[in-house]
Amino acid sequence: MESAIPANQVHEFASRVLKVNHAGENGAVNIYAGQIFFARITAPKMVAELVEFKSHEERHRAVFWAELQRRHQPRCRSYLLCGIGGFTLGLVTGAFGRRAIAATTVAVERVVLCHLEQQLDQLAGKDEAAVKAIESIVEEERQHHDQSASHIATGQFWPRVLSPIVTASTEAVIWIGMRA
């Protein structure tokens, strides 16, 4: 689903995408920080995985920040909101244990992967630096989704409750960020 971006707006669009992705990665870092806080009690076997995922998200955030700096662009206005919202979501879901943690990651990553694929389609052949930055994180985001999906069974309580809320919230944050 390729969208035509006028040539004179490609740089502006790519910079906006990178800002929103950077803010989103800040949200993800903080989701995992909040989850790790409670997972030590509610899901101790997941802590090492969450720490690994958090380190991936910190690298992703650094990739987008480096590209924004190269372009002399500030961070997105929603950066702090994403961090606070992410930490809050992480604390709440972390308190409910393994399946709530996993359901949250699956829902977030499903939305993120869809947006990353759309971004790659829209920017391919137009802004290779942005494409390279986005491509550098896709596999780890897919790994987070797939590994987390293995922790939950279909039709269980937490995926049914959290998926629509987390999906809608993630979509809303992206939508706001793209318009801020």
Side-chain angles (χ1 to χ4, degrees):
M1 146 165 151
E2 191 165 330
S3 155
I5 303 167
N8 63 339
Q9 294 178 9
V10 169
H11 180 74
E12 181 183 325
F13 175 76
S15 292
R16 171 70 55 207
V17 162
L18 293 166
K19 286 179 180 184
V20 170
N21 290 357
H22 177 246
E25 296 301 338
N26 190 50
V29 166
N30 283 286
I31 289 171
Y32 289 123
Q35 289 176 336
I36 290 165
F37 180 82
F38 273 120
R40 295 184 195 292
I41 298 164
T42 63
K45 292 181 180 176
M46 285 189 79
V47 171
E49 178 179 304
L50 295 171
V51 167
E52 178 187 7
F53 287 1
K54 181 175 175 274
S55 74
H56 294 167
E57 302 296 357
E58 290 167 339
R59 185 186 69 75
H60 302 169
R61 182 176 62 188
V63 165
F64 291 127
W65 181 236
E67 185 57 26
L68 286 171
Q69 287 182 309
R70 189 185 73 75
R71 294 167 185 255
H72 306 289
Q73 294 289 316
R75 66 184 186 201
C76 187
R77 288 185 225 153
S78 66
Y79 183 85
L80 293 176
L81 179 62
C82 287
I84 293 166
F87 190 72
T88 302
L89 178 62
L91 283 175
V92 170
T93 59
F96 289 107
R98 180 173 67 92
R99 288 189 177 95
I101 291 168
T104 300
T105 301
V106 169
V108 168
E109 296 296 7
R110 184 181 311 117
V111 171
V112 167
L113 286 165
C114 179
H115 280 276
L116 293 176
E117 293 300 330
Q118 288 173 352
Q119 293 167 5
L120 290 170
D121 286 346
Q122 292 170 321
L123 293 170
K126 297 174 184 137
D127 189 322
E128 290 310 309
V131 167
K132 182 179 175 185
I134 295 164
E135 283 178 338
S136 76
I137 73 159
V138 170
E139 279 311 309
E140 286 176 340
E141 300 292 9
R142 191 169 286 117
Q143 174 197 352
H144 299 175
H145 174 277
D146 295 349
Q147 204 165 322
S148 295
S150 73
H151 294 297
I152 52 178
T154 307
Q156 289 192 355
F157 178 76
W158 287 118
R160 283 194 317 259
V161 169
L162 289 172
S163 186
I165 295 166
V166 173
T167 297
S169 300
T170 305
E171 289 283 3
V173 167
I174 292 169
W175 186 86
I176 291 167
M178 288 301 290
R179 282 145 187 85

